[in-house]
Amino acid sequence: MHVLGIESSCDETGVALVEAGASGLPRLAAHALHSQIAMHQAYGGVVPELASRDHIRRVLPLTQAVFDEAGRRLADVDVVAYTRGPGLAGALLVGAGVACALGAALGKPVLGVHHLEGHLLSPFLSADPPEFPFVALLVSGGHTQLMRVEGVGRYELLGETIDDAAGEAFDKSAKLMGLPYPGGPWLAKLAEQGDPEAFKLPRPLLHSGNLDFSFAGLKTAVLTQSKKLGDQLEARKPDLAASTQAAIVEVLLKKSLAALEQTGLDRFVVAGGVGANRMLRQQLDAACAKRGVRVHYPELHLCTDNGAMIAMAAAMRLQAGVQAPTGHYAFDVKPRWPLASLSGQQQAA
């Protein structure tokens, strides 16, 4: 079975082809990705209309590139999968429209995939795939959640952010420091030159007794500290960046360890763009090693949004029998779509 996956939820256009059998993990045959970072940089953030227009330009050339790399043809596709949500409505409609048009033209069924489920299952594409059950930290620009994962489509929400996500805390703090877009990677790089204990920044909800997160207060504290520094900000940026990163990572680390203790599980998955953060990986690896917990990550090049995770999630849902593709090509998208709502439900495309 060949599953074509199309991702267009925000500012990356991703296309991939996954090969799957009746059993065993599906295998990535080829993938192609275009990032819109350069286009949005001038605006300091994603412009939804520009994002949608760029997806239209990129998706078909990327699809052709995937088939060229895989040595396959469109006729070889058995199922066309696409990101149904969550994400930017206009951007989602591009991928959904192209996928359903391809399905109709080929006479092949289509399948709508939850974007976060794609991230959640992306470590199964790695050289060291996890095994069910596990605790997962979904940590990206728009989402920060802890999930108990029993199997494909069987997800229990343990805790989530009540305001800004961790990725937003990175990006917004970086913007306050005058760093380029997207700020998170720039802040992490600058933090390598600074002292993480230079500034005492808050760790919101660190001792709340639950597994929820809050990062809006941290962003406000960074703004306050930036103003206090005034003319000294430029010289102290590495220290402020390091202190900001340390605060975010400590909260993610402590909450993750609490989730492992609460569930009693000994396997942990980190997924989403922030999962590429070096400090987070180092501290999680060290803390989990002491507790005998195995940690799994996506490959670095598959941490951000991509078509491979969408194709993989679709293939795994088909293998598990939790979702059937459809030959009906009318479609809708879900800009807001809680991941926990998938649990125990047969999902229509």
Side-chain angles (χ1 to χ4, degrees):
M1 177 177 63
H2 293 85
V3 179
L4 181 70
I6 298 174
E7 154 64 21
S8 67
S9 64
C10 190
D11 59 346
E12 275 109 5
T13 315
V15 182
L17 188 68
V18 161
E19 299 174 347
S23 61
L25 283 178
R27 183 187 71 86
L28 178 62
H31 83 107
L33 183 68
H34 174 77
S35 172
Q36 300 175 1
I37 285 176
M39 180 178 69
H40 296 295
Q41 237 163 7
Y43 306 95
V46 177
V47 182
E49 178 64 20
L50 294 180
S52 302
R53 290 173 181 268
D54 200 62
H55 287 311
I56 294 171
R57 295 170 49 208
R58 306 289 180 180
V59 65
L60 291 181
L62 287 173
T63 302
Q64 186 60 58
V66 165
F67 284 109
D68 290 345
E69 182 184 340
R72 301 290 183 181
R73 301 173 302 152
L74 268 175
D76 295 322
V77 173
D78 297 296
V79 177
V80 185
Y82 62 93
T83 305
R84 188 182 180 192
L88 302 174
L92 290 167
L93 285 168
V94 174
V98 170
C100 291
L102 278 175
L106 297 170
K108 299 295 175 69
V110 297
L111 188 148
V113 173
H114 196 293
H115 176 80
L116 293 182
E117 185 174 41
H119 278 303
L120 187 68
L121 299 178
S122 62
F124 285 94
L125 289 161
S126 71
D128 180 29
E131 295 177 3
F132 298 113
F134 55 78
V135 172
L137 173 66
L138 283 171
V139 59
S140 67
H143 301 87
T144 301
Q145 299 177 330
L146 281 163
M147 309 287 298
R148 181 186 179 118
V149 180
E150 294 291 337
V152 177
R154 297 163 60 195
Y155 313 128
E156 177 191 352
L157 180 65
L158 301 175
E160 63 183 338
T161 184
I162 62 174
D163 43 53
D164 287 356
E168 288 177 296
F170 270 111
D171 290 340
K172 291 178 179 179
S173 296
K175 190 171 184 178
L176 292 171
M177 297 179 209
L179 298 177
Y181 168 85
W186 286 94
L187 188 149
K189 186 175 181 180
L190 186 62
E192 295 176 3
Q193 307 167 30
D195 177 5
E197 298 181 0
F199 299 100
K200 292 184 178 180
L201 297 176
R203 272 72 165 159
L205 297 188
L206 186 61
H207 304 292
S208 62
N210 59 32
L211 298 177
D212 289 333
F213 301 88
S214 171
F215 293 102
L218 174 61
K219 175 195 64 180
T220 302
V222 172
L223 173 62
T224 302
Q225 190 62 62
S226 298
K227 289 181 177 178
K228 281 184 180 178
L229 287 170
D231 294 340
Q232 298 180 16
L233 175 60
E234 194 62 36
R236 300 295 306 278
K237 269 185 189 179
D239 288 341
L240 186 55
S243 299
T244 302
Q245 177 177 253
I248 297 170
V249 168
E250 182 179 353
V251 172
L252 294 174
L253 175 67
K254 295 291 177 62
K255 295 281 185 174
S256 297
L257 295 177
L260 286 164
E261 184 176 352
Q262 178 178 307
T263 60
L265 296 177
D266 61 0
R267 200 172 292 271
F268 189 66
V269 160
V270 183
V274 180
N277 182 273
R278 184 182 301 177
M279 182 181 181
L280 177 62
R281 288 193 175 210
Q282 289 174 345
Q283 294 201 13
L284 274 173
D285 286 344
C288 287
K290 289 181 180 178
R291 291 162 174 78
V293 173
R294 288 285 308 279
V295 187
H296 301 266
Y297 307 92
E299 303 293 348
L300 280 172
H301 68 285
L302 296 178
C303 282
T304 56
D305 298 347
N306 61 83
M309 69 184 196
I310 300 305
M312 185 68 169
M316 292 182 71
R317 289 185 74 80
L318 291 169
Q319 282 184 332
V322 297
Q323 184 171 357
T326 178
H328 300 289
Y329 302 111
F331 60 88
D332 66 353
V333 295
K334 291 189 168 188
R336 295 183 180 276
W337 189 11
L339 177 59
S341 69
L342 295 187
S343 191
Q345 298 179 12
Q346 286 290 116
Q347 296 296 316

